[in-house]
Amino acid sequence: MKAKYLRSLLFIIFSLLFSPIGAQSVTKVSHSKAVKTDVVTTGEMTIRKPDYICISTDGGKDQLIMDGTKFTMTTKGKKHTTDSKTNALFATFQKVLHAVINGQPIPSGDDLTIQKSNGMQTITITPSAQKRQMFTSFVLVVDSKTSAIKRLRMNGRKESYTEYRVNK
């Protein structure tokens, strides 16, 4: 009897920790200057405190995951990983996301700017040292009152970008 009770309890705990409670619907727009039309897919974003965020689109085929200092992006079956411990752009991005997720003040830094307008904060992260990276900058739009993420845009080279928009 104890084993059955323990299994049930573990299942409930596991379900609460890893279920998409509070998951929000998102739209992903992939833009490439070389392609005439943007690729638009939908999915969901799940956030867990203190510093986990998962944006999954196209039926889970494309994912962007921040788990602590580790970032994993899966696009078209290719997995790219980096760690904010070794990547300055992602180090700033991780600090900003951590602050947003936990409702804390956005940290200041030479590689980021914050603009406030109409109850929103637009946080632009541009690394000072441009080494060859997948992204040249990040733009995060956050509701100033609720700290809810509204939009994340990751700018690539040659005017390409990937943008996630949280649906209302």
Side-chain angles (χ1 to χ4, degrees), residues 126-144:
T126 307
S128 52
Q130 286 282 2
K131 66 178 192 176
R132 186 161 170 85
Q133 293 196 45
M134 188 176 199
F135 301 107
T136 58
S137 65
F138 297 124
V139 179
L140 184 66
V141 178
V142 178
D143 185 300
S144 296

Side-chain angles (χ1 to χ4, degrees), residues 9-133:
L9 183 61
L10 288 173
F11 176 76
I12 291 169
I13 291 170
F14 183 80
S15 297
L16 289 173
L17 287 174
F18 297 101
S19 66
I21 295 173
Q24 297 173 302
S25 173
V26 295
T27 299
K28 176 184 175 186
V29 178
S30 299
H31 173 80
S32 175
K33 186 178 179 182
V35 180
K36 196 172 194 172
T37 56
D38 293 344
V39 176
V40 179
T41 56
T42 58
E44 61 183 25
M45 175 176 66
T46 304
I47 298 174
R48 285 196 315 261
K49 292 182 181 184
D51 52 7
Y52 175 87
I53 184 170
C54 175
I55 304 173
S56 177
T57 59
D58 198 19
K61 293 178 187 173
D62 291 347
Q63 293 184 335
L64 175 64
I65 299 171
M66 178 188 87
D67 191 0
T69 63
K70 185 177 179 183
F71 290 83
T72 306
M73 183 173 195
T74 306
T75 308
K76 298 178 186 174
K78 292 184 179 181
K79 189 180 277 192
H80 307 276
T81 60
T82 191
D83 196 303
S84 64
K85 293 177 184 174
T86 58
N87 187 321
L89 175 63
F90 282 87
T92 302
F93 187 49
Q94 189 260 335
K95 289 175 190 172
V96 168
L97 281 176
H98 181 84
V100 169
I101 290 170
N102 294 292
Q104 299 169 342
I106 306 300
S108 61
D110 293 338
D111 51 355
L112 67 91
T113 59
I114 301 172
Q115 295 178 328
K116 296 180 181 183
S117 177
N118 299 326
M120 297 291 175
Q121 293 183 62
T122 301
I123 305 154
T124 304
I125 304 165
T126 307
S128 52
Q130 286 282 2
K131 66 178 192 176
R132 186 161 170 85
Q133 293 196 45

